[in-house]
Amino acid sequence: MITTKNKVAAKLLSSGLLNEEGLQKAQEIQKKQGGSLGQALIRAGLVDENALTNCMGEVYNLPVLDLDTNQVELECIDLVPGDVARKFQVLPVTRRGRILTVAMANPSNIFAIDDIKFITGLDVQAAVVGELAIKKAIDKYYATADSLSEIMEGIEADIEVVEDEEDDDITGQEGQNAPVVKLVNTLLAEAVKMGASDIHIEPYERNMRVRYRVDGILQEVMEPPIKLKNAIISRLKIMSELDIAERRIPQDGRIKLKIGAKKIDLRVSTLPCIYGEKVVMRILDKGNLNLDLADFNMEEKAIKDIYHAIAQPFGMVLVTGPTGSGKTTTLYSCLSKLNNPDLNIMTAEDPVEYNIDGINQVQVREEVGLTFAAALKAFLRQDPNIVMVGEIRDLETGGIATKAALTGHLVLSTLHTNDAPSTINRMMDMGIEPFLVASSTLLIMAQRLVRRICSGCKEEVQLPPEALRDIGLEPGTPVFAGKGCNKCGGTGYSGRQGLYEVMPITSGLRDMILDRASTSEIRNLAVQQGMLTLRDDGLVKIRKGITTIEEVLRETAVAD
């Protein structure tokens, strides 16, 4: 009787992909090294994995999946435990109603299909995938969950001893080897590996969750047992040199890590909530810091305007946008271009995010009176050429900054406004006189960050002409989106791109500022003079296939 495995071998022989001598050689390898016949054939270089997979699809009369181009629905991953996926070499891919499509390296394994049916309560549709491909996919989709669950197995026995009054115990030598230390280290390492910008650890009444912010979007990665709440938070507070006994007030600290060859800084913030302290950590990976403005993918006129402004001996350059829009990176990039031994560059920051050689950086400490305004006053007695103020928050800081810009210093700073034109009226609302704003300001730039389309699964999408017109694109304009693949974790996005609204202050705009013109009047003149609004720059990035319509709509608004 011909077995299914023999059917696959017979198909390979009949199609000319394998000869009898090769089959015998593969069978000998299989006897010595174990594993499947397919693995032996690939290991010996006798059959290509794609050819073997296609052959299996024909024998079993099942579809063949390419996991690099077919989207894996992340919610399906939770349906099948990692140990089951590894045991049977299966990966849940999509769900349509009660039908769960599962990629399998060995679709003849009816025990695997029955087990998955029992675990999920769904009907299972098998699809064929190569063994190497499915191993790689399982490692990718179950990596974080598995590594954390392995640690959790060791933690369960220690849960009972972790109590409020015993939190200090993890500072001792025994604590250094405690499973909770391994858990915290793994959480930090996985966040860096996934390219996260922030880690959120949040306690609730009956559970605790950990989320990573990847490409600007928060995603949940695990729920540690609630009994570990105090131990995890205490461990993080010890690492960041905070007071573990103080749980009533917010605290800020830093952690310095070395993960492989990478040196990582973490900015740590704790906040007392009703069920415990929430911890948020900002990951500052200097290795990922790009300080070359030419690599920011700005439009040619915008980058020329910025270079011209920061080349001036005095005046003020302002960058505006919400928290997390990349303002600090833009300012660091400007300083990096200006940084040379001939200049004295000083910065006041809250906090200092990256250390840059050749620049004198000061950490603002409001609790001891070292505010932005106090730092700026001190800077002016230190013979500076260029000054960066982390943020203009009040009239005192704004007044000193504008006067410094008028007395021979180049001043760089940030503000929280929605766009470049509204920054003018924001400064005047603070109480800064129009003549000071008009005479001191060289350029204002607003920016946002949008997610980039994943290059691994980018494809053109068809939209009706009216949908394109509504956003401001011409009918027939090609637009793109990510289908979702292994490279981007099924999201369709990988990395982020800035949108920039760059407004140089021309003589015409200075006259309007002196006349206290409205924001819309200032915007209209700036657009006439060649400024791209945030929405306009977003449309340019859509036309170039860098980002999607959804991302631009999420981050920008149509000007009034």
Side-chain angles (χ1 to χ4, degrees):
M1 181 178 177
I2 298 176
T3 64
T4 311
K5 288 183 180 176
N6 286 340
K7 282 183 180 178
V8 175
K11 181 70 176 175
L12 289 169
L13 290 169
S14 65
S15 60
L17 294 170
L18 183 66
N19 56 35
E20 290 286 352
E21 184 184 348
L23 178 58
Q24 288 176 5
K25 182 180 176 183
Q27 287 170 337
E28 288 171 10
I29 292 172
Q30 184 185 13
K31 283 178 185 177
K32 289 178 183 177
Q33 300 181 13
S36 67
L37 179 62
Q39 277 183 318
L41 287 166
I42 294 168
R43 204 179 294 136
L46 295 165
V47 176
D48 175 72
E49 186 178 34
N50 289 334
L52 177 63
T53 307
N54 289 329
C55 181
M56 290 172 67
E58 289 182 34
V59 169
Y60 298 127
N61 194 26
L62 291 173
V64 175
L65 286 184
D66 180 352
L67 291 176
D68 286 329
T69 57
N70 282 272
Q71 184 172 355
V72 176
E73 295 174 358
L74 297 181
E75 57 270 22
C76 291
I77 299 297
D78 295 333
L79 297 174
V80 178
D83 57 342
V84 174
R86 291 188 190 282
K87 177 183 176 183
F88 294 125
Q89 291 295 284
V90 300
L91 184 78
V93 179
T94 59
R95 179 182 175 180
R96 298 292 177 268
R98 289 194 48 76
I99 298 175
L100 179 68
T101 300
V102 177
M104 303 181 70
N106 180 14
S108 66
N109 190 340
I110 58 172
F111 300 108
I113 294 173
D114 286 344
D115 275 12
I116 294 168
K117 280 183 180 178
F118 179 76
I119 291 167
T120 62
L122 301 171
D123 295 327
V124 174
Q125 169 67 52
V128 184
V129 174
E131 288 187 51
L132 296 177
I134 203 156
K135 281 181 180 177
K136 181 180 173 185
I138 289 170
D139 286 342
K140 173 182 174 58
Y141 288 104
Y142 286 99
T144 304
D146 279 4
S147 56
L148 295 178
S149 63
E150 285 170 16
I151 293 168
M152 298 307 292
E153 287 175 13
I155 288 175
E156 291 298 326
D158 297 332
I159 287 177
E160 296 305 319
V161 302
V162 180
E163 298 175 5
D164 289 1
E165 61 269 20
E166 294 176 343
D167 282 346
D168 290 351
D169 290 349
I170 63 173
T171 62
Q173 283 300 110
E174 292 180 14
Q176 296 304 312
N177 298 316
V180 73
V181 176
K182 294 180 185 176
L183 173 61
V184 169
N185 290 346
T186 302
L187 282 173
L188 300 180
E190 286 292 338
V192 173
K193 180 181 172 184
M194 290 176 65
S197 60
D198 300 87
I199 304 169
H200 291 235
I201 298 174
E202 303 161 313
Y204 296 98
E205 184 176 11
R206 294 186 179 85
N207 68 308
M208 183 180 193
R209 72 176 176 182
V210 178
R211 296 190 291 172
Y212 295 160
R213 188 179 293 280
V214 181
D215 291 338
I217 304 297
L218 279 169
Q219 51 185 258
E220 188 171 338
V221 293
M222 77 169 297
E223 284 192 16
I226 189 63
K227 292 183 180 180
L228 286 178
K229 174 181 69 175
N230 293 320
I232 291 171
I233 292 168
S234 292
R235 173 62 186 161
L236 289 167
K237 289 169 83 172
I238 288 164
M239 292 174 76
S240 47
E241 299 182 354
L242 300 178
D243 183 355
I244 64 169
E246 180 54 78
R247 299 176 182 172
R248 300 164 299 172
I249 59 173
Q251 297 186 67
D252 294 305
R254 292 180 86 100
I255 300 173
K256 289 196 173 184
L257 297 176
K258 189 172 182 182
I259 300 174
K262 278 189 171 186
K263 290 185 178 178
I264 307 292
D265 276 3
L266 292 143
R267 198 173 77 206
V268 182
S269 169
T270 69
L271 180 71
C273 298
I274 57 173
Y275 296 115
E277 290 174 282
K278 173 175 177 174
V279 180
V280 175
M281 290 172 278
R282 168 66 55 89
I283 299 172
L284 305 171
D285 183 356
K286 198 169 183 179
N288 290 337
L289 183 64
N290 180 8
L291 293 180
D292 190 347
L293 281 169
D295 294 336
F296 281 25
N297 213 359
M298 290 184 185
E299 297 309 301
E300 189 176 347
K301 180 182 183 304
I303 202 161
K304 279 183 180 177
D305 288 338
I306 293 170
Y307 281 161
H308 180 265
I310 63 176
Q312 302 307 307
F314 58 89
M316 186 159 58
V317 174
L318 297 171
V319 182
T320 181
T323 302
S325 59
K327 300 188 298 296
T328 304
T329 302
T330 300
L331 288 178
Y332 278 151
S333 302
C334 293
L335 292 178
S336 180
K337 184 168 180 62
L338 297 168
N339 189 13
N340 68 67
D342 301 334
L343 297 173
N344 179 19
I345 303 176
M346 310 194 75
T347 74
E349 304 171 59
D350 184 19
V352 175
E353 294 197 1
Y354 296 99
N355 301 319
I356 302 176
D357 289 340
I359 295 177
N360 305 286
Q361 296 171 274
V362 173
Q363 168 74 55
V364 168
R365 297 188 183 279
E366 296 201 358
E367 67 273 14
V368 296
L370 183 55
T371 61
F372 280 121
L376 194 46
K377 284 180 184 176
F379 286 176
L380 298 179
R381 296 191 288 271
Q382 292 276 318
D383 186 30
N385 299 103
I386 300 168
V387 171
M388 184 185 101
V389 185
E391 185 182 347
I392 294 177
R393 295 177 178 171
D394 50 44
L395 173 59
E396 185 181 12
T397 310
I400 299 169
T402 52
K403 286 169 187 172
L406 291 171
T407 53
H409 308 92
L410 180 64
V411 178
L412 285 72
S413 190
T414 72
L415 272 163
H416 286 283
T417 56
N418 290 327
D419 56 19
S422 62
T423 305
I424 298 294
N425 284 316
R426 171 78 181 105
M427 292 173 72
M428 290 192 285
D429 287 343
M430 282 183 185
I432 304 171
E433 292 295 331
F435 76 90
L436 287 175
V437 176
S439 52
S440 65
T441 311
L442 296 170
L443 178 139
I444 301 171
M445 176 168 67
Q447 65 181 70
R448 297 289 189 279
L449 290 177
V450 293
R451 291 182 290 173
R452 297 176 68 99
I453 301 171
C454 172
S455 59
C457 58
K458 178 178 172 182
E459 62 178 12
E460 188 172 347
V461 293
Q462 300 299 322
L463 293 176
E466 55 272 19
L468 294 172
R469 284 195 199 95
D470 286 346
I471 192 176
L473 293 170
E474 304 78 16
T477 302
V479 292
F480 298 86
K483 187 169 66 172
C485 64
N486 290 347
K487 183 179 175 183
C488 61
T491 63
Y493 297 99
S494 180
R496 288 196 284 177
Q497 165 67 46
L499 303 182
Y500 304 97
E501 179 176 284
V502 179
M503 186 176 80
I505 306 301
T506 61
S507 57
L509 287 173
R510 285 195 173 90
D511 291 341
M512 294 189 83
I513 295 168
L514 290 170
D515 291 340
R516 294 182 179 269
S518 68
T519 296
S520 58
E521 290 172 327
I522 291 171
R523 182 187 298 109
N524 291 339
L525 179 57
V527 169
Q528 288 173 26
Q529 294 177 346
M531 180 190 83
L532 288 178
T533 65
L534 286 167
R535 173 61 64 87
D536 292 337
D537 196 36
L539 296 179
V540 171
K541 301 298 187 287
I542 292 170
R543 291 189 190 99
K544 288 183 175 180
I546 295 171
T547 191
T548 63
I549 289 175
E550 291 78 11
E551 282 294 292
V552 172
L553 290 174
R554 183 169 65 86
E555 290 292 341
T556 67
V558 178
D560 296 334

